[in-house]
Amino acid sequence: MNVPAASARTVALIGGSGDVGRMLADRLRAAGNTVRTVDIRFTDRSDADQVKGDVTDPSPELRAVVQAADAVILAIPESVALESIPFLVAELPEHALLVDTLSVKSRFDAALRESALRGGAVGINPMFAPSLGPEGRPVAAVTYRDGPGVEWFLSALSGWGSSVVRLDAEHHDRLTAATQALTHAGVLAFGLALADLGVDGGELTAVATPPHLVSLALLARVGSGVPEVYRDIQAGNPFAGDARRALAAALTTLTDTVEQGSDDDFAALMSRATSPLGDRIEPLARLCADLFTDLVHRRPRNGDTS
């Protein structure tokens, strides 16, 4: 089996026009790898490293790109990634690594297990917006099928400054239901409640406490995002519904405790609410204090559009 040298690989990146695809392509090229980017939306034929193609209806050119690759990265929606598996399994060289960047892993994992994939396969989920960069930020990684390319790719992520957190597919999806689906649901529900209360954004920022100002900032960032991305996180994760129902139930418990419970009941509620933090409560409290201190210099003023 002809395994490529660790220092130089040929990578086919399918979905190269998206934010995640561009980030990965830039980083891999900077490390000395050859990256061919593939996307159905490409129109500029002056770039030899760009290939216009549809992985669900592969052209001869796209087939050749995949056949020549040491690694194929899928930065595409889950439905397209699942549909592409038979083509990729048939065309990938035996030594080649398959990588996905999906936010949900369990269905892709099951599909790969039913396939005749010969090489290694790993899924990654950058737990940050690509515009922020990978330095100091976590990347969740699920190894579907081990192989020599898996460690090469995960080591590359670590070399970019990311902390790679290894999980199995189901644990990944359960965890991201909390870290992504629950978080976004809470932020959007907060915004919906503000809309129902009929309050003014300028007045809110003028009198906001530090926790409220951070909540407003989260709402601004999430609410300014691409709706399809945030809906996919809610609709695609098989455990996201449980997270939303837990959030709704928690609000009911809070309301009942305030309206019918005692001071001791409310203290017990607060203790239960912080129990998932475990021994991380003190460092997280210090992090929050640091964020609040920085807000003194960053609080938006009326008329500030920067």
Side-chain angles (χ1 to χ4, degrees), residues 151-174:
E151 290 307 316
W152 161 73
F153 188 73
L154 296 184
S155 295
L157 296 178
S158 297
W160 302 342
S162 293
S163 71
V164 176
V165 182
R166 301 182 188 232
L167 306 163
D168 63 46
E170 181 176 339
H171 192 191
H172 169 278
D173 289 356
R174 288 186 182 277

Side-chain angles (χ1 to χ4, degrees), residues 71-111:
V72 171
I73 301 174
L74 304 178
I76 52 181
E78 183 188 42
S79 60
V80 181
L82 290 170
E83 190 176 348
S84 73
I85 288 176
F87 159 64
L88 294 170
V89 167
E91 303 295 340
L92 275 170
E94 185 175 352
H95 73 265
L97 173 69
L98 179 62
V99 181
D100 78 77
T101 63
L102 301 173
S103 60
V104 174
K105 303 300 187 190
S106 51
R107 283 186 290 270
F108 196 72
D109 177 41

Side-chain angles (χ1 to χ4, degrees), residues 245-278:
R245 285 186 286 273
L247 177 62
L251 286 173
T252 298
T253 298
L254 174 62
T255 298
D256 290 346
T257 302
V258 170
E259 294 179 354
Q260 302 172 25
S262 65
D263 289 346
D264 288 343
D265 291 333
F266 195 84
L269 179 146
M270 291 186 65
S271 179
R272 182 185 172 197
T274 56
S275 63
L277 303 181

Side-chain angles (χ1 to χ4, degrees), residues 114-185:
E114 294 176 359
S115 76
L117 184 71
R118 296 170 294 170
V122 64
I124 64 165
N125 187 1
M127 306 302 289
F128 55 90
S131 60
L132 296 174
E135 290 82 5
R137 305 186 195 280
V139 176
V142 174
T143 299
Y144 307 118
R145 193 175 190 277
D146 206 3
V150 171
E151 290 307 316
W152 161 73
F153 188 73
L154 296 184
S155 295
L157 296 178
S158 297
W160 302 342
S162 293
S163 71
V164 176
V165 182
R166 301 182 188 232
L167 306 163
D168 63 46
E170 181 176 339
H171 192 191
H172 169 278
D173 289 356
R174 288 186 182 277
L175 200 57
T176 55
T179 60
Q180 293 183 309
L182 176 61
T183 301
H184 299 159

